[in-house]
Amino acid sequence: MRRAPGLLLSLSLLPLALLGACSRADGRTELVIQRFFGACQADYGQLTDPSKADGECGIITAMINEFEARNPDIRVIENTVFWPGYDQLTAQLAANGAPDLVTMHSSAIPDYDARGLLEPLDQPLASVGIGPEQFTAAARAGVTLDGRTMGLPIDVWSPLWHVNLNLFRKAGLVRDGAPVLPSSPEEFRAQAAQFRRATGKPYFIQVTNKDYSGPMRIFYVWMMQQGAALFSDARHANFDSAEGRRALQFMRDLYQRGDSAINMDYAAAVSAYLKGEGGILVDGTWMVGQFDAAARNPDSPLYQGYAVRPFPFLFHERKVSLVDGHNWVMPRNPRRTVAEREAALRFLAYFAANDFQWARTGHFPAYQSIIESAQWQALPHRQDIAGITRDGEPLPKYVRRQSPIESIVGEEAAAAFTGAKSVDRALTDMQRRANEILQSY
């Protein structure tokens, strides 16, 4: 998931952190955990009760703190990396400096696995009572390659439509307390125009520059809803296609009509939504908790006026939602000791047992028992987005180098809808650049 970077560990400090990992002066086993999700030590550095934390950064920080408090024989070395951290990880692996556990998106696992850089975890997880049959179908698909479990799922996430109900009420787009959302491109245009006339604000808030994960996800979803494969095979993208052209032209049209906010990076888009400057923000599951909290604040423009929904099905060939997931993986390290491995497995067992706390972020739990629990279903808005657990589809596992390809897709899509390139030129360049990567290994 892309989110605004917090105050993160400088790369210049990383060697010191790793050097510290080699010191065992106090006799404790040291466990090196490398993660994204931002840094928030000032707010949560001493908190050991995850139930009192909020947001991705706060909850994961409190969980790591609680694990260390419960396991006094383990000293956790926590490296927080710039999102998503893969360039740094690749450099560490090349220098034989592998952390013990690393956060990794499901879409990135095939690339690292193909190079033999990750350890299969079937037997290690089984030794602490964790089996893939416990995972949700989407979470299991995210970590399974050629029948092997390559990580412990943390969650499943998806891009969503976050709705300002207060502005939707003003526009006459609320029925029985729920937002009226479009079910076709034609309805989108009509409702966006109705919204603009009534509020004087853009219907859509989206990331348009600097961070291209948002445009990529919108383009992917609207291609997938047309029944199109994003990739023809492991070496060829399918972006320059009739479905790709329809999706990107629709993105361009809504932007050029004024339906979308303009010139916004990720932080600006989130800020604009929180200030009530538009109707719908396209963002991920990780923001549900923060926006629900804003809806409980009388001083917020979202007060008593927040709703969240899956992407509406504008194109009706397939009822599908794009999903990805966060996972813990274990990079190969022949120098890892038995004690270090045991410490890593204890951490994975702890995280699995406490996945409900992580699911409070807004992400979908990785475990079927939590999805089915009254506790999770009682969390705000979960019933409104639970259909994604049935309709969600990850990116194909046979395609490597997803992370750099996603950047290309988002960059070219943004160039098209902002008018910097024609739709045809953007699709041609998008496909050419993606194929160059796919055919480079």
Side-chain angles (χ1 to χ4, degrees):
M1 77 11 171
R2 182 68 168 103
R3 55 207 52 85
L7 179 63
L8 302 179
L9 181 68
S10 167
L11 292 183
S12 64
L13 298 180
L14 182 61
L16 296 178
L18 293 180
L19 180 62
C22 298
S23 172
R24 292 169 173 77
D26 61 3
R28 292 187 292 171
T29 299
E30 291 185 343
L31 173 65
V32 181
I33 293 176
Q34 187 154 302
R35 65 166 185 84
F36 37 71
F37 301 124
C40 48
Q41 290 296 316
D43 294 322
Y44 296 104
Q46 303 304 313
L47 183 64
T48 57
D49 183 352
S51 69
K52 296 180 180 179
D54 293 306
E56 289 177 315
C57 185
I59 291 174
I60 199 167
T61 299
M63 290 180 76
I64 291 173
N65 292 344
E66 182 181 52
F67 170 79
E68 192 166 21
R70 289 184 180 181
N71 294 270
D73 58 323
I74 297 174
R75 178 170 179 255
V76 176
I77 306 297
E78 185 179 358
N79 294 337
T80 307
V81 296
F82 289 99
W83 187 95
Y86 300 135
D87 290 342
Q88 180 173 328
L89 176 61
T90 298
Q92 290 170 279
L93 296 177
N96 296 316
D100 295 308
L101 295 171
V102 177
T103 49
M104 184 171 287
H105 294 90
S106 301
S107 55
I109 290 176
D111 199 30
Y112 284 85
D113 175 65
R115 291 178 281 164
L117 298 175
L118 303 178
E119 289 197 25
L121 292 181
D122 297 88
Q123 191 281 325
L125 291 178
S127 72
V128 292
I130 301 172
E133 70 282 354
Q134 299 169 13
F135 308 153
T136 65
R140 185 171 183 172
V143 296
T144 303
L145 286 171
D146 301 323
R148 298 164 299 138
T149 303
M150 299 306 301
L152 178 80
I154 297 175
D155 59 47
V156 172
W157 61 261
S158 179
L160 302 168
W161 279 24
H162 300 272
V163 182
N164 184 322
L165 275 180
N166 294 327
L167 292 178
F168 263 57
R169 290 188 187 100
K170 187 174 181 180
L173 291 172
V174 173
R175 184 180 303 134
D176 297 327
V180 176
L181 297 179
S183 60
S184 69
E186 294 74 25
E187 285 188 4
F188 185 106
R189 286 191 285 270
Q191 291 180 15
Q194 178 178 332
F195 183 91
R196 290 200 322 276
R197 286 193 301 269
T199 67
K201 299 175 185 288
Y203 180 72
F204 219 50
I205 299 176
Q206 60 178 328
V207 177
T208 59
N209 59 40
K210 294 185 181 178
D211 176 355
Y212 297 114
S213 298
M216 171 273 296
R217 291 168 189 148
I218 295 172
F219 177 74
Y220 275 4
V221 168
W222 284 340
M223 271 197 72
M224 292 166 66
Q225 287 186 4
Q226 295 178 71
L230 298 173
F231 299 89
S232 303
D233 54 48
R235 299 289 183 177
H236 298 90
N238 188 41
F239 307 140
D240 192 3
S241 59
E243 295 87 355
R245 188 162 288 99
R246 187 183 184 197
L248 192 52
Q249 186 66 54
F250 182 67
M251 294 172 70
R252 180 187 177 96
D253 289 348
L254 75 88
Y255 189 90
Q256 297 296 326
R257 280 194 310 269
D259 295 340
S260 171
I262 63 173
N263 298 328
M264 288 194 173
D265 61 13
Y266 184 88
V270 172
S271 176
Y273 179 72
L274 285 169
K275 292 176 181 177
E277 295 177 2
I280 293 165
L281 173 68
V282 180
D283 206 338
T285 47
W286 54 88
M287 297 304 297
V288 171
Q290 180 177 341
F291 294 154
D292 181 69
R296 299 170 190 274
N297 178 2
D299 296 326
S300 169
L302 290 178
Y303 182 56
Q304 297 183 345
Y306 170 64
V308 60
R309 296 291 187 274
F311 260 67
F313 297 105
L314 303 184
F315 306 95
H316 293 276
E317 293 300 320
R318 290 187 65 209
K319 190 175 183 180
V320 62
S321 297
L322 173 69
V323 299
D324 203 336
H326 301 120
N327 312 277
W328 291 110
V329 299
M330 184 180 289
R332 290 188 183 275
N333 181 359
R335 297 180 297 177
R336 186 174 292 123
T337 67
V338 172
E340 289 165 346
R341 180 180 296 273
E342 192 269 340
L345 292 176
R346 280 161 65 183
F347 178 80
L348 294 179
Y350 162 83
F351 212 96
N354 291 275
D355 196 57
F356 169 78
Q357 292 299 334
W358 179 249
R360 290 174 44 244
T361 60
H363 297 310
F364 295 105
Y367 299 88
Q368 191 63 35
S369 60
I370 298 177
I371 287 278
E372 295 171 352
S373 70
Q375 187 182 29
W376 181 79
Q377 293 178 17
L379 290 173
H381 309 291
R382 289 343 187 246
Q383 292 301 314
D384 296 326
I385 58 176
I388 293 173
T389 63
R390 300 185 301 272
D391 304 325
E393 182 175 298
L395 296 173
K397 285 290 184 292
Y398 59 80
V399 178
R400 291 171 55 185
R401 309 307 308 277
Q402 291 281 12
S403 185
I405 290 172
E406 289 173 3
S407 296
I408 288 169
V409 171
E411 180 184 340
E412 295 292 348
F417 68 67
T418 58
K421 288 185 178 182
S422 69
V423 168
D424 287 345
R425 173 64 185 275
L427 288 172
T428 297
D429 291 348
M430 185 190 298
Q431 180 137 321
R432 173 185 54 78
R433 294 173 65 191
N435 286 347
E436 286 173 356
I437 291 178
L438 292 171
Q439 295 165 23
S440 67
Y441 58 87

